[in-house]
Amino acid sequence: MLESGGQPPQQMVAVIGAGISGVCTAAHLLKEGVSVTVFERSSIAGGIWHYDDRVPVDPPYPSNTPSRGDYEISKRGDFSYVTPPPERSDRTQTSCSIRVEATENLFDVEVLFSPPGPCYAGLRTNVPTYLMASSLSAWPEGTESVVSQRDVEEYVQNLAEVHGVNAHTLFHTRVDEVKKTPDGSKWELRSVTLEKGEFGVRFIERLSLFDRVVVASGHYNMPRIPGIEGLSAWKTRFPHRIIHSKQYRNPERYRNQNLVVLGAGVSALDICRELDGVANTIYQSVRGGQYDLPASLLPPSSKRVPEVARFVLGDDQRVKHFLEDGQPIPGRVILKDGQVLDNIHHVVIATGYITSYPFLSHLHSDTATVTDSGGYLVVTSDGNMAHNLHKDIFYIPDPTLAFVGVPYHVATFSLFDFQAQVVARVFAGRAKLPSQKSMREEYERKVQEKGLGRGFHSLHAEGKEVEYVRELVEWVNEEYVDGDGKTNGRMKGHSEEWLTGYYELKAKMRGLFGDRGVKATAERTDEGVVSSEIRAD
């Protein structure tokens, strides 16, 4: 419905997450004149590219069900008024409650409240910077094609500052629940803010109402821990010797040690490369899947071995939970081909992440199979994909809920920026969504074409990413409603320069690995990667 001046009424939009997806989405929404509140559980914008030398607490062994997420969701009513609520002019706020707690270890409280991400000190981009720029701003002049984690973090944070996103962001604020109001007219968002004080911390719970919600919380939150026989016993007995790749920070602690690294994707490969010349021997255990990266990419100190069948603890009862530095784990690793690995000091699990949106509990089912989403679930028990999204963006049963950053195997920054532009135009009334019937029919055609599971969101095949963006641009511009000169205007697709770089990269990958190599380098959703772009080393 349009207001008297021909403009749609101003929409109030919540954006969950201040990584590249959330920052781009909020910036484009602000350019469209939309009222935006960004919720970011950490202290700063940057998402997975923000380096924090703290590590998240251990996940369960094996993994929890997807609806649990990577943090403990509070319950409504956990907070009560013990001090007057702060005065705020934020018109989205409907209620506020506060709990103050004394604490001697703020470090632990912060890590539990907002688990640090998977960024490690030596992380570098795995796609050229000229392919991963946002339309909001180019990279600084003179930027190399491959840059460090710090360069990327600064780029995202500069976008957030220059485009006013930081001013609209509630940092240290975690979203614990998102659901529709009883009359279905608004989204009610329950958030919890952690504030540090002289004598402890206080938790502020807010209930806010929004017209629309954008989920931009990323892929890499909830670690996937395999249920390999004996792994949980090793973890229980020697907890500091077994980690997920999300907890990896630098190679120094592994100097002169022997490791088993589980996984055949980019994180496993990167960790093996970082450990080369530092660790003694690294055994990379793989399942022999279609998309395993070639063993030829491993450094000299790494050896590829078959899948692990089981972890066996030794019989020496004198060895309890504490091991001396340099002392190997008293046990054996049995491989599926019968080989036995011993004298192992550490295990790094690089087996990826589970799709999880714990604040959308009503759109999760921890019992439904991947083929039984019922036309309304977003995440089923496998945690391998996001169901029922139009163009991997809009929730078909209620497209006032959108997701940015779902696709895999893409030049993330540029692709997520295109998605953000689409969301901004639709939510501002500049573009019109197809009917629910049309969206459902298109989704079902995609299911028939690609099948359900990890590959559903993949755009790794040559030209698929280009085709996806072209379809978005054509659709949005076809339905474009002209504004007042202050909006983003009509969408522009990939530049000729970008397209040239994209196809050059694809050609380089074919030259390195052949057709299988292109797929193997791209198809890696079940591996612990920090960025999901196509790799060209």
Side-chain angles (χ1 to χ4, degrees), residues 27-137:
H28 286 297
L29 286 166
L30 289 169
K31 289 177 71 175
E32 291 285 0
V34 175
S35 175
V36 178
T37 303
V38 181
F39 296 85
E40 171 53 49
R41 68 185 188 179
S42 73
S43 63
I44 196 168
I48 59 171
W49 289 99
H50 171 57
Y51 176 72
D52 188 338
D53 59 4
R54 302 174 304 176
V55 298
V57 299
D58 289 326
Y61 280 65
S63 307
N64 257 331
T65 51
S67 68
R68 296 291 297 275
D70 68 334
Y71 60 94
E72 184 175 352
I73 296 282
S74 67
K75 294 183 176 61
R76 191 174 300 220
D78 280 353
F79 304 91
S80 60
Y81 288 104
V82 294
T83 61
E87 293 294 329
R88 288 177 57 92
S89 59
D90 182 355
R91 64 192 180 98
T92 68
Q93 180 180 317
T94 59
S95 64
C96 173
S97 57
I98 298 174
R99 185 177 77 210
V100 177
E101 291 185 358
T103 179
E104 296 180 355
N105 197 335
L106 181 59
F107 176 96
D108 289 342
V109 172
E110 287 187 304
V111 166
L112 288 171
F113 180 84
S114 174
C119 186
Y120 53 92
L123 180 65
R124 294 176 67 80
T125 56
N126 59 12
V127 75
T129 51
Y130 54 80
L131 293 183
M132 56 181 290
S134 163
S135 67
L136 296 164
S137 178

Side-chain angles (χ1 to χ4, degrees), residues 12 32 92 128 147 264 297 326 345 379 384 388 390 442 497 509:
M12 298 167 64
E32 291 285 0
T92 68
V147 296
L297 297 177
H345 299 84
V379 183
N384 282 334
N388 295 306
H390 175 61
E442 181 177 326
E497 179 185 13
M509 292 167 62

Side-chain angles (χ1 to χ4, degrees), residues 250-439:
N250 63 73
E252 189 55 39
R253 68 174 293 196
Y254 306 104
R255 184 168 293 279
N256 300 322
Q257 312 264 303
N258 301 319
L259 293 90
V260 171
V261 176
L262 302 180
V266 172
S267 274
L269 176 62
D270 283 351
I271 289 171
C272 288
R273 287 178 169 178
E274 278 225 323
L275 293 171
D276 188 46
V278 178
N280 183 19
T281 300
I282 305 110
Y283 300 98
Q284 186 201 31
S285 172
V286 305
R287 293 180 297 180
Q290 179 182 359
Y291 300 114
D292 289 357
L293 290 176
S296 59
L297 297 177
L298 291 171
S301 61
S302 296
K303 177 183 178 182
R304 177 160 292 185
V305 297
E307 185 176 358
V308 173
R310 62 187 183 277
F311 293 86
V312 180
L313 281 172
D315 297 327
D316 190 347
Q317 297 302 313
R318 295 171 298 175
V319 180
K320 300 300 182 183
H321 293 271
F322 180 76
L323 295 175
E324 299 287 346
D325 288 344
Q327 183 180 359
I329 297 171
R332 297 169 297 150
V333 180
I334 312 299
L335 306 180
K336 287 201 169 180
D337 69 349
Q339 289 187 68
V340 177
L341 307 180
D342 53 17
N343 198 32
I344 300 299
H345 299 84
H346 295 272
V347 177
V348 178
I349 302 166
T351 50
Y353 294 84
I354 293 172
T355 300
S356 176
Y357 308 108
F359 43 83
L360 291 169
S361 60
H362 64 293
L363 301 182
H364 269 264
S365 172
D366 292 333
T367 58
T369 66
V370 70
T371 59
D372 190 27
S373 68
Y376 74 95
L377 293 174
V378 173
V379 183
T380 50
S381 59
D382 54 289
N384 282 334
M385 63 174 288
H387 296 262
N388 295 306
L389 302 183
H390 175 61
K391 302 289 190 187
D392 282 352
I393 302 174
F394 296 98
Y395 179 55
I396 295 172
D398 184 350
T400 59
L401 174 65
F403 295 73
V404 173
V406 169
Y408 287 101
H409 315 138
V410 297
T412 51
F413 283 34
S414 64
L415 186 96
F416 298 165
D417 182 87
F418 282 118
Q419 290 189 314
Q421 292 182 60
V422 171
V423 169
R425 284 162 172 76
V426 171
F427 281 6
R430 308 296 184 193
K432 183 181 178 182
L433 281 166
S435 68
Q436 188 175 96
K437 180 176 182 291
S438 295
M439 290 191 289

Side-chain angles (χ1 to χ4, degrees), residues 15-244:
V15 177
I16 302 173
I20 187 62
S21 298
V23 168
C24 288
T25 301
H28 286 297
L29 286 166
L30 289 169
K31 289 177 71 175
E32 291 285 0
V34 175
S35 175
V36 178
T37 303
V38 181
F39 296 85
E40 171 53 49
R41 68 185 188 179
S42 73
S43 63
I44 196 168
I48 59 171
W49 289 99
H50 171 57
Y51 176 72
D52 188 338
D53 59 4
R54 302 174 304 176
V55 298
V57 299
D58 289 326
Y61 280 65
S63 307
N64 257 331
T65 51
S67 68
R68 296 291 297 275
D70 68 334
Y71 60 94
E72 184 175 352
I73 296 282
S74 67
K75 294 183 176 61
R76 191 174 300 220
D78 280 353
F79 304 91
S80 60
Y81 288 104
V82 294
T83 61
E87 293 294 329
R88 288 177 57 92
S89 59
D90 182 355
R91 64 192 180 98
T92 68
Q93 180 180 317
T94 59
S95 64
C96 173
S97 57
I98 298 174
R99 185 177 77 210
V100 177
E101 291 185 358
T103 179
E104 296 180 355
N105 197 335
L106 181 59
F107 176 96
D108 289 342
V109 172
E110 287 187 304
V111 166
L112 288 171
F113 180 84
S114 174
C119 186
Y120 53 92
L123 180 65
R124 294 176 67 80
T125 56
N126 59 12
V127 75
T129 51
Y130 54 80
L131 293 183
M132 56 181 290
S134 163
S135 67
L136 296 164
S137 178
W139 287 83
E141 187 175 353
T143 298
E144 300 290 335
S145 62
V146 177
V147 296
S148 70
Q149 157 274 322
R150 184 59 195 159
D151 294 318
V152 182
E153 182 178 1
E154 288 178 353
Y155 177 76
V156 178
Q157 290 168 0
N158 182 67
L159 291 178
E161 183 61 32
V162 169
H163 294 278
V165 176
N166 284 342
H168 292 265
T169 301
L170 295 172
F171 292 106
H172 290 296
T173 300
R174 193 181 71 198
V175 175
D176 278 10
E177 186 178 24
V178 177
K179 66 178 185 178
K180 270 305 186 67
T181 55
D183 65 1
S185 64
K186 302 277 187 180
W187 288 96
E188 182 183 79
L189 186 150
R190 183 168 62 86
S191 63
V192 181
T193 299
L194 183 152
E195 289 189 354
K196 295 177 281 189
E198 182 179 356
F199 301 107
V201 298
R202 67 176 185 173
F203 297 95
I204 304 173
E205 180 183 82
R206 294 185 179 90
L207 297 178
S208 308
L209 296 179
F210 293 94
D211 298 295
R212 301 170 187 266
V213 175
V214 182
V215 177
S217 52
H219 297 287
Y220 307 112
N221 296 311
M222 185 178 183
R224 185 181 294 277
I225 305 296
I228 301 173
E229 181 183 346
L231 179 59
S232 61
W234 273 42
K235 179 64 177 177
T236 300
R237 186 83 170 269
F238 307 108
H240 300 297
R241 297 296 190 94
I242 292 88
I243 66 167
H244 187 271

